[in-house]
Amino acid sequence: MALLAPESAVPSTLVALVVLRVPAWACLLCFTSYKERLRICQIFSGVEGPEREKCEKAFTAAFQGLLDTEINYDERNHLHDAFTQMTHSLQEMATARGSFEVAFPDAAQKIQEVITQLKEAPACIPPCGLQEVARRFRCRGCYSTVCDLPLDCPVQDVTVTRGQQAMFSCTVNFQLPKEEITYSWRFAGGGLRTQDPSYFRNIPRAEGYLARIRPVQPTHRGTFSCVIKHDQRLLARLYFFLNVTGSPPIKETELQSSFREVLLWAPREAEMIEPWRPSLGELLATPEALTPSNQCLLAATAAIASASLTLLAWMFFRWYFSGN
């Protein structure tokens, strides 16, 4: 993609744009070079002279309607290909002694039709996150932009009774890249409800998008944070404030409670969140678990198990009757 004109062509381009009083980066200038545009006008009207200057002005003016065009960032190569095909067509028309006053508006109309057929970028989904899937390319400036949303998501409240299980799901409501996604967890204890990074410490063993604490104790009251990255690039930070309710058993003395918490309940930092090892039922309950490929795998497993049982039964009866 030729986003910038050659250095020798920049002054001439700027002069022409000042005369026309149009911004320097319309779609035409994003996807074609100054040399390509100059060559087309030279074929239409000659190497020098007022007719060539008139051609250059007409070329730029024909595409002013595409100045504020925005497209899906992933579709920019398709638009670049359309402009490349357009320059070849204009050169052929110029060689055939056609009129640039007719050719340029017609070319701009065809490019507009191509733009309307491009796949639109998904809308930004609030309230947070770097959403690459919604990235757009803007012809006014020839640059891309993403959603203007914060990376820090609002704090979610989680209330769990003491001794029960707390489960945190580090998921967002926008599409993440399919590869090189990493999750890391941090904790701000002491009952703090915060998003200030200085209060958090890392939890080394927690690396998946699901994490749980069991059994939950009052020392777990505080804010847990999950950091989502793609190839080391931060996409979002989620926060969960865990509020622990319930009191110790009635017959438990204060000394017994302290002794029990020291020996059994008090979590070490590396073991606060345990790795999630789901049972078969939990695994099947997760979103997108029963995909067509997983269903085929389960069916194949069931078929193999059934065949194995049939074979064992046949071998047993064969042995039994051969002995008799």
Side-chain angles (χ1 to χ4, degrees):
M1 183 189 302
L3 295 182
L4 297 176
E7 292 183 2
S8 60
V10 171
S12 300
T13 304
L14 293 178
V15 170
L17 292 169
V18 169
V19 172
L20 294 173
R21 294 183 180 180
V22 297
W25 296 113
C27 275
L28 177 67
L29 285 87
C30 290
F31 297 103
T32 63
S33 67
Y34 178 74
K35 277 188 176 181
E36 291 172 331
R37 299 189 298 275
L38 179 62
R39 176 60 179 164
I40 290 172
C41 278
Q42 287 176 340
I43 299 175
F44 267 119
S45 56
V47 177
E48 297 291 345
E51 190 68 15
R52 199 204 73 186
E53 294 180 2
K54 181 180 177 182
C55 175
E56 292 180 3
K57 293 179 181 180
F59 203 172
T60 307
F63 286 84
Q64 284 185 355
L66 303 180
L67 174 62
D68 293 321
T69 298
E70 292 187 7
I71 64 170
N72 186 333
Y73 184 75
D74 293 336
E75 295 287 299
R76 67 194 188 284
N77 288 334
H78 294 164
L79 187 56
H80 179 262
D81 293 341
F83 270 98
T84 299
Q85 183 177 356
M86 178 203 74
T87 57
H88 292 161
S89 298
L90 289 175
Q91 289 178 6
E92 292 176 355
M93 294 183 64
T95 304
R97 300 301 178 183
S99 170
F100 63 78
E101 293 179 345
V102 175
F104 292 157
D106 183 62
Q109 178 62 33
K110 290 180 179 178
I111 291 295
Q112 181 63 59
E113 293 174 358
V114 170
I115 291 175
T116 58
Q117 295 174 5
L118 296 177
K119 182 176 63 176
E120 294 185 3
C124 298
I125 302 177
C128 59
L130 177 61
Q131 303 176 25
E132 283 291 342
V133 69
R135 183 178 289 275
R136 287 173 165 79
F137 179 85
R138 292 181 175 177
C139 283
R140 182 187 286 270
C142 295
Y143 69 96
S144 66
T145 180
V146 292
C147 308
D148 187 18
L149 296 172
L151 294 176
D152 290 319
C153 300
V155 180
Q156 303 177 46
D157 288 287
V158 179
T159 301
V160 178
T161 304
R162 181 185 186 214
Q164 299 300 313
Q165 172 180 280
M167 179 77 77
F168 306 114
S169 178
C170 189
T171 56
V172 290
N173 55 3
F174 59 88
Q175 182 180 342
L176 293 174
K178 294 182 179 180
E179 298 178 351
E180 298 182 359
I181 293 293
T182 59
Y183 301 88
S184 59
W185 291 84
R186 302 181 301 165
F187 176 62
L192 288 176
R193 180 189 176 93
T194 181
Q195 291 179 304
D196 187 338
S198 63
Y199 288 102
F200 288 87
R201 65 177 185 271
N202 292 327
I203 306 175
R205 293 181 59 203
E207 298 176 350
Y209 78 97
L210 282 175
R212 65 182 173 187
I213 303 172
R214 60 177 183 179
V216 170
Q217 291 300 308
T219 52
H220 296 137
R221 187 174 185 273
T223 305
F224 291 84
S225 173
C226 173
V227 180
I228 306 176
K229 290 185 178 181
H230 172 242
D231 193 21
Q232 302 304 314
R233 187 179 188 186
L234 180 62
L235 298 185
R237 282 186 292 255
L238 281 69
Y239 298 88
F240 307 88
F241 178 72
L242 178 60
N243 186 29
V244 183
T245 62
S247 57
I250 299 177
K251 296 182 179 180
E252 190 175 59
T253 64
E254 182 177 352
L255 180 60
Q256 289 174 329
S257 177
S258 301
F259 183 72
R260 185 179 182 184
E261 288 187 3
V262 169
L263 293 184
L264 300 177
W265 303 109
R268 291 176 291 181
E269 291 185 10
E271 297 179 353
M272 181 175 298
I273 292 181
E274 64 179 41
W276 188 58
R277 299 183 179 89
S279 63
L280 179 59
E282 290 174 322
L283 185 61
L284 294 178
T286 58
E288 301 181 358
L290 292 179
T291 61
S293 60
N294 287 347
Q295 291 178 2
C296 292
L297 182 60
L298 288 174
T301 303
I304 293 173
S306 177
S308 299
L309 290 175
T310 303
L311 179 60
L312 289 174
W314 176 78
M315 292 177 64
F316 172 78
F317 283 110
R318 182 179 179 184
W319 167 82
Y320 179 79
F321 287 111
S322 64
N324 290 340

